[in-house]
Amino acid sequence: MTCLEFKKLGKTEVEIPVLGLGTWGIGGFSDRHLGSEDKAVRALRLGLELGMRFLDTAEIYANGHSEEIVGIAVGEERENIFIATKVSPSNLSYEDVIRSCEGSLKRLKMKYVDLYQVHWPNTSIPIRETMKAMEKLAAEGKVREIGVSNFSVHQTREAQEALSKKSLASNQVKYNLIERSIEEDLVPYCMKEHVTIIAYSPVARGHIPGGGREERWRVLDGIAEKYGKTRTQVALNWLICKEPVVAIPKAVTLEHVREDAGSADWRLKKEDRDALNKAFS
Ligand SMILES: NC(=O)c1ccc[n+]([C@@H]2O[C@H](COP(=O)([O-])OP(=O)(O)OC[C@H]3O[C@@H](n4cnc5c(N)ncnc54)[C@H](OP(=O)(O)O)[C@@H]3O)[C@@H](O)[C@H]2O)c1
């Protein structure tokens, strides 16, 4: 039931849990939704207890309220938890990155974040300018590692080249059994370059656990039965079997958190991964 498995983050010396918890929708989506904090904190704390000691949030989630909830869930326990947040694409100028980071740290009630990510590319602001601010934050100890999100291969390379003191640790992108378009270029690129892929929407926003009755779902269910696992656990394990990939499902239902946490510390055999690749191709 617990996730005690780790992977190296990019080229850094940092080890991160292969499963973290996402927070999009925690405390609201685009606006602050007050009243759901206790349920969310309970879910995040259960995830932490079960070894999902990696929380992913963003300044834009619930207009900052998700970060506040993450801060409450972590409380005094900060040291052994990997905290990732993101700066929005509208805030990628040098001054705005610095300001956004200060705002996130305040809401999180933390002195530093472990990973600061550019949420989406913004082609009207040079990535060099954004990365200069990122490295300044790293030099000041406010940010431990630097990542991007939703970057193509080309944009990832540009981000890598724009950094002079640190290596690019990660790229957070949509990846699950159903949505596999990044396998064509981004997965091999990140593998070669030692950039961690943080898979978001790893259970396809509930579509995988919900699934259907067509052949591909029967293949998934057959494999799940063989391992004594659930559909979701197999789908998450399929992701983390890939060398550069870790996954961040979001769950506020305690049963979901428990189920997701049971997706690591075991491995699907190659023949079963191949069968899933074929069924979901
Ligand atoms: N960088 C980006 O642009 C970007 C974009 C999207 C997401 N993300 C990050 O990635 C995280 C995860 O992605 P996501 O929230 O889009 O989708 P997801 O994790 O694929 O799906 C979340 C949904 O699946 C349900 N769920 C989780 N585990 C389940 C289980 N074992 N059985 C049944 N249902 C289950 C959750 O329900 P309950 O909540 O009721 O438990 C929730 O409705 C986000 O929270 C966010 O941190 C990043």
Side-chain angles (χ1 to χ4, degrees):
M1 284 278 262
T2 54
C3 164
L4 301 169
E5 199 184 325
F6 292 81
K7 279 186 187 176
K8 219 157 101 72
L9 174 70
K11 287 183 189 144
T12 74
E13 294 307 312
V14 182
E15 299 259 312
I16 61 170
V18 294
L19 293 174
L21 275 175
T23 61
W24 171 230
I26 281 189
F29 285 94
S30 9
D31 299 321
R32 289 168 171 263
H33 175 74
L34 302 178
S36 57
E37 294 80 1
D38 289 353
K39 184 179 177 192
V41 166
R42 263 199 302 277
L44 293 177
R45 285 197 177 148
L46 176 64
L48 294 174
E49 253 171 55
L50 296 177
M52 300 169 92
R53 300 181 73 80
F54 166 10
L55 304 180
D56 175 77
T57 186
E59 63 173 343
I60 205 172
Y61 294 175
N63 199 13
H65 196 38
S66 292
E67 289 182 328
E68 290 166 350
I69 293 174
V70 166
I72 296 167
V74 169
E76 301 301 309
E77 252 209 277
R78 175 70 183 95
E79 282 317 305
N80 295 316
I81 303 174
F82 187 84
I83 301 292
T85 192
K86 312 183 196 83
V87 51
S88 301
S90 52
N91 292 333
L92 298 187
S93 73
Y94 185 88
E95 288 77 18
D96 285 347
V97 172
I98 307 286
R99 200 175 306 118
S100 281
C101 183
E102 303 286 355
S104 288
L105 291 175
K106 208 179 252 177
R107 287 186 292 274
L108 285 160
K109 292 201 168 60
M110 291 175 190
K111 292 197 176 75
Y112 66 92
V113 290
D114 296 279
L115 179 67
Y116 201 37
Q117 306 158 100
V118 176
H119 204 149
W120 286 87
N122 177 345
T123 50
S124 61
I125 297 169
I127 190 72
R128 213 161 271 285
E129 178 177 341
T130 306
M131 288 308 181
K132 203 169 158 212
M134 289 291 216
E135 289 196 314
K136 164 106 161 82
L137 290 166
E140 289 174 352
K142 292 176 180 161
V143 161
R144 293 261 161 105
E145 301 300 337
I146 298 165
V148 292
S149 176
N150 299 298
F151 273 43
S152 66
V153 167
H154 172 69
Q155 290 162 333
T156 306
R157 190 180 295 117
E158 279 188 348
Q160 287 174 296
E161 287 169 1
L163 288 167
S164 57
K165 300 181 190 75
K166 293 191 73 74
S167 62
L168 185 77
S170 57
N171 189 359
Q172 183 177 136
V173 284
K174 191 193 277 184
Y175 192 24
N176 59 56
L177 257 183
I178 303 169
E179 174 58 62
R180 293 170 55 196
S181 55
I182 63 162
E183 288 180 354
E184 272 175 31
D185 54 0
L186 195 67
V187 175
Y189 180 80
C190 289
M191 174 118 168
K192 183 165 100 7
E193 293 288 317
H194 301 285
V195 172
T196 295
I197 292 178
I198 301 177
Y200 76 67
S201 303
V203 302
R205 315 217 71 191
H207 193 63
I208 289 174
R213 289 165 182 268
E214 303 89 338
E215 176 57 17
R216 59 183 184 166
W217 300 109
R218 286 204 292 275
V219 171
L220 177 55
D221 288 340
I223 291 172
E225 202 181 328
K226 180 167 145 189
Y227 287 82
K229 304 289 178 190
T230 68
R231 207 181 242 212
T232 305
Q233 289 173 331
V234 169
L236 288 172
N237 194 271
W238 172 86
L239 278 171
I240 60 171
C241 279
K242 288 155 208 295
E243 203 181 302
V245 181
V246 298
I248 48 164
K250 173 260 176 185
V252 287
T253 307
L254 299 185
E255 240 357 271
H256 294 167
V257 178
R258 280 194 198 94
E259 186 177 341
D260 296 355
S263 308
D265 302 301
W266 55 279
R267 275 288 176 267
L268 285 165
K269 289 194 181 122
K270 182 171 183 310
E271 70 210 47
D272 296 313
R273 296 197 309 262
D274 289 345
L276 288 168
N277 288 339
K278 194 162 164 238
F280 285 85
S281 60

